[in-house]
Amino acid sequence: MSQTPSTSIRTIALVGHGAAGKTTLTESLLAATGTITSRGSVEKGNTTCDFDAMEKEFGHSLQTALVSMGWGGLQLHVIDTPGYPDFAGQSIAALAGVDTALVVVNAQTGVELATERMFNLAGERGLCRMIVINKIDADNVDLPALVNQIRERFGKQCLLLDLPAHHGQDVVELLGHADGDSDFASVAAAHRALIDQIVEEDDSLMARYLEDGADPSPVELHAPFEAALRAGHLIPILFVSAKTGAGVPQLLDALAKLAPNPAEGNPPPFYRGEPGDAQESFAAQPDDALHVLAHVFKVVVDPFIGKMGVFRVHQGTVAKDAQLFVGSGKRPFKVAHLYRLQGKDYVEVPSLVPGDIGAVAKVDEIEFDCVLHDSHDEDHIHLKPLQFPLPMQGLAVQTKRKSDEHRLFDILHKLELEDPCFKVERHPGTNETVIRGLGDMHLRTKLARMQQQYKLELDTSPPSIAYRETITQGAEGHCRHKKQSGGAGQFGEVMLRIEPLERGAGFEFVDVVKGGAIPGVFMAAVEKGVRQALSDGVVAGYPVHDLRVTVFDGKTHAVDGKDIAFTLAGRKATMEAVRKANPIVLEPLVNIEVLAPEAAIGDLTGDLSSKRGHVTGTQPRAAATAAISGQIPLAELDEYQGRLKSLTGGKGSYSIEFSHYAPVPAHTQAHLMASHKTVNVDDE
């Protein structure tokens, strides 16, 4: 296989809401380029990207899939991403591997929740964005209204790059055409608006354009078009029917001619330094002769080939048998096999250059978001992390068979490695193992996979809510720990003050002790005790957040001063201070979106309000459905799936996303504090 140069590579992620047709569009792209002989269909379960048995069963994508194809002498690497909000972790992670985000919109349903989220995240990441309106030949679609909706939601910089024609059976390209027929809008007016927007990026070109009125040549438009794309000043809108293939060749031409290559896109946000320390930007150069720099944006734990890391090459050439380091690791690993992914197939290749997406297997050190490199000069280079939604939906799990207990955490760890939005928690106080994800469907697919792939059957139950404690005013705490039991004793005295920080600020520890009242060697022990008290909770048994602890005085003893004494003194002083600082209990609130038939909207809004929810709005959707958005305490969503099913006749669905923590009602706090005192004897 001959190596494609970086300048001839395009990397694209298809993103958007579920059922927008991303997988079908990928199939059409593969067929149009001759990569496959015929299109598969999601309904038949024979598409290239939805190859997993569970994806075929559920009828939608559960994970990202990668394919490559050639068009016009170029190599296109395409990532098909899941669209349902429950699987957003996979979709967001894919943004780190591409230069262009192709935002796919369903012409029948318009701009939906995941569409808007992924559009904004791609913009924040500095990716070039294009909008593809799919299903243009479907019945009862209002394409002019949809274009207006897109411009209202995303801005007037969203301009038509082509227009549908002959009732969605064809499209007419606008950059090189000033006349022709279309299903709506004027080809001439759309052409003029597009040219006007592009020439604004080049002052000399715009001056000449205004002077003589003639369209610049395609060669002259290329550079300002890409500049507008990179800056977000131009977001092209294209039309396709993935089912019939209408508009697909024009889309491929747009990707080949207008999407950036690795040297033209906005540079990836690498930095040198460690998180929390001083950092300086690092510019990766898409030069195949420099040191290797690659970033792992996907991890797969395959039962046959082991852990596999999928990465994007940003600099240098990764070759078979090369030696690579993982992060700041001191020992390299050998690239025994180098793969390019084509759906479920692993195609072995000799090398990968900047812009290529590849994979290595059986490397235990590889983790999600790690950087691969071939020189210790790059030990401390990282890629700015993406912001993932916090997994809030939880299930407490335990094995049906006692003999499976030793396998449980090993399997859960493998699933956690693959999904940045799937977390496993162990709560010693309640003796619960809790899995957390982005929604009910997210967790159900994890349970199904554990049963099908690993033959592990689990019992589930609602988990305890992840409450927090915090303080509302400042206070001081003091403890003198003194213990004498023959021989050397224990002595440590700590005086500290606490003060509240703004919500979400976390914890700060400050040492202002002067004169060696507490020797520096014991300050780590004091901090350990403080952290123990905050972790265990003080008034209700939940972790204490958002406060500053300042140690300002204390005493020691020349013989009896010990780490254990200062740990206990720090812990008890912190507990005393928190009790005096008017502590409150916080609960997680989540943003919720419910999609349901319009006839059920009244019942659903009433149900949410009765559960301390706050409805912020409703929006019509296609086919007599509507979306309700609002906020609700996570604690009130127990058994919500059952209530939703009852109120909508099984036709409703919902997704949640963490919003913030807020104080619980007074009666709830009293109950939580009373329960804590019942099961925890205060022997301090």
Side-chain angles (χ1 to χ4, degrees):
M1 179 182 293
S2 60
Q3 180 62 61
T4 304
S6 294
T7 53
S8 297
I9 292 175
R10 306 289 184 269
T11 53
I12 302 109
L14 301 186
V15 300
H17 203 88
K22 297 181 296 297
T23 300
T24 304
L25 178 56
T26 305
E27 244 358 66
S28 289
L29 294 172
L30 290 167
T33 57
T35 310
I36 58 176
T37 55
S38 61
R39 290 195 300 264
S41 72
V42 173
E43 294 76 17
K44 294 179 180 178
N46 60 349
T47 63
T48 306
C49 292
D50 284 358
F51 54 84
D52 183 83
M54 287 180 56
E55 290 178 317
K56 297 177 182 179
E57 177 185 342
F58 281 87
H60 58 76
S61 302
L62 303 177
Q63 58 189 346
T64 52
L66 289 83
V67 294
S68 295
M69 62 196 78
W71 182 259
L74 304 179
Q75 189 74 28
L76 276 61
H77 298 311
V78 177
I79 304 179
D80 177 29
T81 70
Y84 287 98
D86 282 26
F87 307 101
Q90 294 277 324
S91 304
I92 295 171
L95 298 179
V98 300
D99 298 311
T100 302
L102 215 57
V103 183
V104 183
V105 178
N106 186 339
Q108 296 174 294
T109 55
V111 178
E112 298 176 88
L113 177 67
T115 311
E116 189 164 7
R117 174 195 288 163
M118 295 305 297
F119 178 91
N120 292 331
L121 286 172
E124 292 169 9
R125 194 65 177 183
L127 300 184
C128 297
R129 292 167 292 177
M130 298 183 180
I131 296 173
V132 176
I133 298 177
N134 188 23
K135 305 185 182 182
I136 59 173
D137 57 336
D139 294 332
N140 301 318
V141 297
D142 188 344
L143 296 179
L146 177 54
V147 171
N148 288 335
Q149 182 193 32
I150 289 172
R151 287 174 175 162
E152 288 172 3
R153 301 282 280 273
F154 300 146
K156 294 182 179 179
Q157 67 271 30
C158 299
L159 292 176
L160 301 168
L161 194 61
D162 58 34
L163 276 168
H166 309 116
H167 305 292
Q169 299 305 307
D170 195 7
V171 302
V172 54
E173 186 268 331
L174 295 174
L175 197 59
H177 296 84
D179 51 30
D181 297 325
S182 76
D183 290 343
F184 73 94
S186 161
V187 171
H191 168 83
R192 187 61 49 217
L194 183 62
I195 299 296
D196 289 348
Q197 186 77 3
I198 296 171
V199 298
E200 284 185 4
E201 298 294 323
D202 187 318
D203 291 341
S204 62
L205 189 64
M206 182 170 66
R208 182 159 55 83
Y209 172 66
L210 292 174
E211 183 178 341
D212 58 28
D215 287 350
S217 69
V219 173
E220 291 175 310
L221 289 172
H222 180 79
F225 186 99
E226 286 196 340
L229 206 58
R230 285 194 302 271
H233 297 163
L234 172 61
I235 299 168
I237 301 174
L238 301 102
F239 295 84
V240 302
S241 169
K243 187 175 181 180
T244 66
V248 171
Q250 291 85 349
L251 173 59
L252 284 165
D253 281 340
L255 293 173
K257 297 175 182 177
L258 304 174
N261 66 43
E264 294 170 330
N266 289 320
F270 280 104
Y271 66 90
R272 189 190 298 274
E274 294 301 322
D277 298 336
Q279 301 170 1
E280 59 174 312
S281 297
F282 178 85
Q285 303 294 327
D287 185 336
D288 57 10
L290 298 178
H291 285 314
V292 168
L293 197 65
H295 173 258
V296 176
F297 64 88
K298 179 180 174 68
V299 170
V300 179
V301 182
D302 189 285
F304 301 106
I305 67 172
K307 184 193 285 188
M308 181 176 67
V310 183
F311 59 88
R312 155 77 182 265
V313 182
H314 292 278
Q315 178 179 288
T317 300
V318 179
K320 184 178 180 297
D321 296 328
Q323 301 280 330
L324 294 180
F325 297 96
V326 180
S328 57
K330 301 304 177 186
R331 296 180 58 186
F333 69 89
K334 181 181 179 181
V335 182
H337 299 279
L338 191 59
Y339 300 104
R340 181 176 288 161
L341 302 184
Q342 192 72 5
K344 67 179 179 180
D345 297 325
Y346 303 92
V347 182
E348 194 155 0
V349 294
S351 62
L352 297 170
V353 299
D356 271 329
I357 296 175
V360 290
K362 298 182 180 179
V363 182
D364 291 336
E365 298 85 355
I366 281 184
E367 303 287 347
F368 173 76
D369 206 31
C370 70
V371 169
L372 308 180
H373 56 96
D374 62 356
S375 165
H376 283 302
D377 292 344
E378 284 78 40
D379 276 354
H380 301 289
I381 291 177
H382 305 272
L383 191 64
K384 180 183 176 182
L386 291 153
Q387 296 300 312
F388 292 94
L390 190 64
M392 297 303 300
Q393 188 90 7
L395 279 176
V397 298
Q398 60 181 2
T399 58
K400 288 182 179 289
R401 296 184 295 270
K402 193 171 183 65
S403 59
D404 285 334
E405 287 182 356
H406 69 285
R407 300 174 55 222
L408 175 62
F409 284 99
D410 178 56
I411 293 170
L412 289 177
H413 179 62
K414 291 178 179 178
L415 297 180
E416 200 173 19
L417 287 174
E418 295 180 324
D419 191 338
C421 291
F422 177 74
K423 301 298 178 186
V424 180
E425 302 171 356
R426 178 66 182 168
H427 299 283
T430 58
N431 200 30
E432 283 184 337
T433 298
V434 177
I435 58 173
R436 294 199 181 275
L438 299 180
D440 178 70
M441 187 185 297
H442 191 196
L443 295 181
R444 282 194 291 116
T445 58
K446 298 296 183 186
L447 294 173
R449 184 176 173 194
M450 282 188 273
Q451 182 174 1
Q452 294 178 15
Q453 184 172 321
Y454 296 103
K455 311 303 179 188
L456 180 69
E457 296 186 357
L458 301 175
D459 288 323
T460 63
S461 59
S464 301
I465 297 297
Y467 293 108
R468 290 179 175 179
E469 299 176 21
T470 193
I471 59 173
T472 58
Q473 64 187 45
E476 292 189 357
H478 166 245
C479 177
R480 172 183 289 182
H481 176 79
K482 185 176 181 180
K483 185 175 182 180
Q484 197 75 37
S485 57
Q490 298 175 6
F491 182 88
E493 185 172 356
V494 173
M495 301 178 192
L496 53 79
R497 72 175 65 92
I498 62 175
E499 54 189 306
L501 299 177
E502 64 181 34
R503 198 84 75 231
F507 164 67
E508 293 180 15
F509 181 81
V510 182
D511 170 18
V512 296
V513 175
K514 297 180 179 179
I518 299 178
V521 70
F522 292 131
M523 195 53 67
V526 175
E527 183 176 356
K528 178 181 177 182
V530 171
R531 289 184 179 274
Q532 284 181 355
L534 300 181
S535 175
D536 294 343
V538 177
V539 296
Y542 299 102
V544 187
H545 288 255
D546 306 333
L547 76 166
R548 179 185 293 117
V549 177
T550 303
V551 181
F552 63 88
D553 204 357
K555 291 182 181 178
T556 187
H557 187 277
V559 177
D560 295 345
K562 292 182 173 63
D563 281 345
I564 182 64
F566 280 98
T567 297
L568 291 171
R571 180 169 182 264
K572 294 174 183 178
T574 302
M575 294 177 70
E576 177 187 302
V578 170
R579 289 191 179 109
K580 295 192 295 186
N582 193 21
I584 59 173
V585 178
L586 304 173
E587 64 179 343
L589 268 63
V590 295
N591 296 322
I592 185 169
E593 182 177 81
V594 184
L595 192 65
E598 288 180 340
I601 296 303
D603 291 338
L604 289 171
T605 54
D607 178 71
L608 290 172
S609 298
S610 71
K611 299 296 183 180
R612 298 193 287 133
H614 174 61
V615 176
T616 57
T618 60
Q619 289 187 335
R621 292 286 192 252
T625 61
I628 307 171
S629 55
Q631 283 188 347
I632 189 170
L634 183 64
E636 300 291 349
L637 288 180
D638 242 1
E639 302 177 352
Y640 184 68
Q641 187 69 37
R643 299 204 308 274
L644 179 62
K645 183 178 180 181
S646 174
L647 292 170
T648 64
K651 296 179 181 178
S653 63
Y654 76 100
S655 61
I656 60 173
E657 181 180 31
F658 173 73
S659 175
H660 64 283
Y661 272 86
V664 300
H667 65 87
T668 303
Q669 175 156 329
H671 171 73
L672 293 172
M673 292 173 66
S675 300
H676 180 57
K677 290 176 181 177
T678 301
V679 298
N680 293 277
V681 178
D682 185 1
D683 60 356
E684 302 297 340

